Amino acid sequence: MPHALNEPILDWYADNARDLPWRRPDASAWAVMVSEFMLQQTPVTRVLPMYEAWLARWPTPTDLADAEPGDAVRAWGRLGYPRRALRLHGAATAIRDQHNGEVPDDHDKLLALPGVGEYTAAAVASFAFRQRHAVLDTNVRRVLARTVDGTEYPPQATTAAERRTAGDAMPLDDETAATWAVAIMELGALVCTARTPRCADCPVAALCAWRLAGKPPYEGPPRRGQTYAGTDRQCRGKLLAVLRDAAGPVPKTALDAVWEDALQRARALDGLVADGLVEPVADGVYRLPTGAPVNA
DNA sequence: CACTCGTGGAA
DNA sequence: TTTCCAAGAGT
């Protein structure tokens, strides 16, 4: 007997799905993978233009692997979390060198790629290769937390109980499970939103445990807000922006100009170098990574 | 497992 | 204005 969530959500998705480029039938597995990297912690509206430009420039994994990692970092622009650009380049390189240039369709092989974790491996296997996997992103976890568990928000980190819940809720055959995965994700993105859920438009409002319980407010460990101003992250962002906007190597004096605190600035720059996002060229000169071996 | 890692838009 | 948070991964 199918899970009660299946049919209403599949029907709702058939009528309400957004037309996103990575969902079109002609989207390659590589296109799906690129979209998933970009969508990590980043809203769809900001991803769309970068996604188009990226795939136009690097239509296949090998195209990206053959480019310098610094070009990937520069093309990432202001999407945020630029290590994703480096990891996507690393994933492309692994695909070129170990998978004959083709995105692997095996979940474990996907998981072994840099930048691919539990969610992204399941998403690519499901969306691109139409396999049955529990695709647990923030949207899906929130929908299941509300409809099944009766809580406003899921726990901070994904739990075994959530994986079991997701597995139980999935349709049994691969093709339907793949569609359902994107459908419940879309429901979370458009209707069962984090702040002001539109329960009046929800296809499963009638059976939602959280709504039926009177929408009890979230109780649990406070989800600590991420302050940003004055942090190392902001400093790293400023430094990397200088490197991105420059055509070539940049003298340290140009980096010194964008952040007051010298100690924090040095720490941030060290971090960027350690992450491989910045490469020291010569004494007091830095650039985006070339991929060439660094002579120590 | 708690923490780090960017950025910008909406409430 | 401040706060929240958006298709997470890696350590």
Side-chain angles (χ1 to χ4, degrees):
Chain A
M1 177 175 161
H3 196 282
L5 289 173
N6 290 354
E7 184 175 323
I9 291 179
L10 285 168
D11 289 347
W12 173 88
Y13 183 72
D15 294 332
N16 296 279
R18 288 170 291 180
D19 176 29
L20 299 172
W22 45 85
R23 287 183 188 162
R24 291 171 193 160
D26 62 329
S28 65
W30 170 242
V32 172
M33 177 172 285
V34 169
S35 78
E36 291 305 335
F37 269 75
M38 291 185 171
L39 286 163
Q40 291 168 5
Q41 299 288 284
T42 309
V44 167
T45 53
R46 282 178 51 209
V47 164
L48 281 170
M50 311 302 294
Y51 167 88
E52 301 286 2
W54 191 280
L55 282 178
R57 183 170 181 183
W58 297 302
T60 72
T62 299
D63 292 324
L64 178 60
D66 289 345
E68 289 189 355
D71 287 337
V73 173
R74 186 175 281 109
W76 199 255
R78 304 189 63 80
L79 262 187
Y81 292 144
R83 291 188 294 190
R84 290 182 293 167
L86 227 44
R87 290 174 183 153
L88 183 51
H89 182 273
T93 302
I95 291 168
R96 180 194 63 188
D97 296 342
Q98 301 169 29
H99 301 287
N100 299 312
E102 299 292 331
V103 176
D105 63 1
D106 179 79
H107 182 275
D108 289 334
K109 290 175 181 171
L110 288 165
L111 198 54
L113 298 172
V116 177
E118 175 183 355
Y119 162 76
T120 301
V124 173
S126 177
F127 303 157
F129 297 111
R130 314 304 298 170
Q131 296 170 13
R132 183 176 186 272
H133 294 281
V135 182
L136 280 172
D137 81 317
T138 185
N139 292 302
V140 175
R141 296 180 60 217
R142 187 174 56 248
V143 172
L144 292 176
R146 289 175 180 169
T147 57
V148 178
D149 296 335
T151 60
E152 186 175 17
Y153 298 117
Q156 185 131 7
T158 304
T159 63
E162 286 184 274
R163 296 187 185 93
R164 186 176 50 76
T165 297
D168 291 345
M170 267 190 298
L172 292 181
D173 75 284
D174 289 274
E175 175 59 32
T176 311
T179 301
W180 190 77
V182 69
I184 188 173
M185 187 178 303
E186 188 80 333
L187 183 66
L190 299 183
V191 174
C192 193
T193 53
R195 251 177 281 189
T196 313
R198 303 170 48 194
C199 299
D201 299 323
C202 181
V204 290
L207 52 77
C208 175
W210 181 58
R211 194 189 65 83
L212 292 173
K215 300 187 180 178
Y218 172 80
E219 39 181 277
R223 313 187 284 162
R224 57 177 251 278
Q226 41 188 350
T227 53
Y228 183 61
T231 60
D232 285 9
R233 293 161 79 169
Q234 185 184 28
C235 182
R236 286 166 56 107
K238 297 257 191 205
L239 296 176
L240 196 62
V242 173
L243 277 294
R244 265 201 321 263
D245 297 342
V250 164
K252 189 172 186 305
T253 52
L255 300 175
D256 294 341
V258 298
W259 196 263
E260 186 68 22
D261 184 338
L263 187 63
Q264 188 178 27
R265 198 174 62 227
R267 185 171 65 235
L269 185 55
D270 282 349
L272 288 169
V273 172
D275 289 344
L277 283 163
V278 173
E279 218 172 66
V281 182
D283 188 40
V285 181
Y286 297 86
R287 69 183 172 196
L288 295 182
T290 60
V294 183
N295 49 354

